[in-house]
Amino acid sequence: MTVRSLLAVGALALSLTALTAFTALCPAQYALIAQPLPVAERFAVTEWRLPATSPPFAAILFVPATWLPVATLKAVVVMGNVLLLALLIRLSWRFAARRPAMTTATAAAPAPATAPVPVPLPVLVAAGLWLEPVFRTVLHGEISLALACLILWDLTRPDHALGKGFAIGIAAGVELTPALFIAYLLLTGRPGDVRAGLTALASLIGTMLLGALVLPRSSLDFWTLRVFETSRPGEASSADNQSLQGLFARALHTPEPGVGWAAACVVITFAGLWLARRAVVRAGHGKWGVPAIALTALLVSPVSWSHHWAWCVPLLAVLLAEGRWRTAAVVALVFSARTFLLVPHEGWAELQLSWWQQVLASPYPLLALAVLAALAYAAYRHHHRHRHRRRRLAGGQLAAVRPLPLPQLPASNSSASTMR
């Protein structure tokens, strides 16, 4: 144990202690974890009668959680999420700090080497716990960190790794939002990504078949009815909903944003897939494909609770790996400020927010739209520079084959002078 490692462990212990004190001093937050969950009914869980919205495969997967006492389960989930945060930080840095390939046609090339994490991991975990999506995941016992780790681990594996894409299909079988990563892999055009995408698609279908085999009635009900009920996860206008639907509902002062939101989702989905594919096929910018898809999926999902935005960790890793310290500081501030908790929540107060409260109520979707807009502008600038370079090279080649200007010979009627 070195002095540096002892200080790092001390920083983590201090952060956990401060978070515990913060939770205990906030009665509203403490009440959510202090009471045990009652027995779940068919499609409603918890005392607030919240509807179960995940596919039946998720219910099968988490049956072992019912074997533990509630107090023990809480402790296991809290410590497990802290360890998952450490894993996500390592995976994010391994993904973000790897050197880009030399060309765009290196699908079968080995994974580029990465630089070691520059800061002790316990220090990064201590700081990451204060990010609101991470804090909410730990506080409420959510699985956002686990899903992000599954997807990022699968994406950072070499193209020739056995079963690459399987974990992404499992993540999509637990929550449908990660399925956009399957479309991303299939659209990149790289042979390794296409193989992984097909594996992920087969894995997702396997989870559906397993759910139908074990829970046939629930599976039929879910895949024919419940999956299309976009309002089922909760109120779209709630400030905790940081999706594009939540932004539209609060901005338009209506609980059902309707066609405008649906049209915007279609545009954002295609734009996000295009930007991610363009980032991948451009040498040196492939690392931005994953954050682009993650932000797009969170935007177009009907409901994206704040803990779903645990993808802020890979986003920050990419920014830091590129040396964008100021931008990373702004992003970290947005994900730590918790401004959407400052707006009124009672009744339908979130549908009556003023213009300046709208910014406080929707920090995550506004940031995601800004990131996608920045990627679109970078793609436009790259295309413009590339076209200008091609024109300049074409002009240089024409100049090279143009006849050299020779001095004019003096006119003469003499054949001898002409022969000279």
Side-chain angles (χ1 to χ4, degrees), residues 300-372:
V300 302
S301 175
V303 173
S304 291
W305 303 122
S306 65
H307 62 82
H308 291 157
W309 290 80
W311 283 96
C312 62
V313 175
L315 175 62
L316 287 169
V318 172
L319 290 172
L320 292 175
E322 292 190 348
R324 304 177 187 271
W325 301 95
R326 294 181 180 177
T327 306
V330 172
V331 171
L333 179 62
V334 170
F335 282 107
S336 303
R338 297 161 168 79
T339 57
F340 63 90
L341 298 177
L342 303 177
V343 299
H345 287 71
E346 297 78 12
W348 295 99
E350 290 148 322
L351 295 178
Q352 303 172 2
L353 301 178
S354 59
W355 67 268
W356 62 270
Q357 290 176 317
Q358 298 289 343
V359 179
L360 299 178
S362 305
Y364 301 168
L366 292 177
L367 175 65
L369 291 173
V371 171
L372 294 180

Side-chain angles (χ1 to χ4, degrees), residues 27-28 31 45 65 107 139 148 154 165 229 241 255 271 303 318 328-329 332 350 361 370 387-388:
V45 295
L139 185 68
D154 216 352
E229 296 178 358
N241 178 22
V303 173
V318 172
E350 290 148 322
R387 185 173 58 181
H388 180 69

Side-chain angles (χ1 to χ4, degrees), residues 283-307:
H285 295 80
K287 65 183 67 175
W288 277 104
V290 171
I293 288 298
L295 296 179
T296 301
L298 291 168
L299 281 172
V300 302
S301 175
V303 173
S304 291
W305 303 122
S306 65
H307 62 82

Side-chain angles (χ1 to χ4, degrees), residues 8 17 33 59 63-64 115 143 153 192 241 243 260 272 294 296 345 399 414:
T17 303
I33 62 173
V63 163
I143 60 171
W153 170 78
N241 178 22
S243 70
T296 301
H345 287 71
S414 170

Side-chain angles (χ1 to χ4, degrees), residues 213-245:
L213 180 65
V214 179
L215 299 171
R217 184 176 178 182
S218 298
S219 296
L220 179 64
D221 186 83
F222 179 84
W223 292 111
T224 58
L225 296 175
R226 311 300 175 183
V227 71
F228 302 107
E229 296 178 358
T230 58
S231 61
R232 185 174 180 79
E235 296 294 339
S237 59
S238 171
D240 290 327
N241 178 22
Q242 293 292 300
S243 70
L244 200 63
Q245 185 184 26

Side-chain angles (χ1 to χ4, degrees), residues 114-207:
T114 60
V117 180
V119 181
L121 191 58
V123 174
L124 295 176
V125 173
L129 286 170
W130 289 91
L131 297 170
E132 190 275 335
V134 175
F135 175 72
R136 186 70 67 94
T137 299
V138 176
L139 185 68
H140 293 175
E142 299 290 348
I143 60 171
S144 301
L145 291 171
L147 294 179
C149 285
L150 271 178
I151 295 170
L152 203 55
W153 170 78
D154 216 352
L155 291 174
T156 53
R157 298 170 69 199
D159 290 339
H160 55 79
L162 179 65
K164 180 177 181 179
F166 178 80
I168 296 176
I170 295 296
V174 175
E175 286 192 7
L176 297 179
T177 307
L180 195 62
F181 282 94
I182 301 177
Y184 159 71
L185 291 172
L186 295 175
L187 290 176
T188 58
R190 300 172 66 237
D193 288 344
V194 173
R195 286 195 299 270
L198 293 175
T199 303
L201 182 60
S203 177
L204 172 60
I205 295 174
T207 64

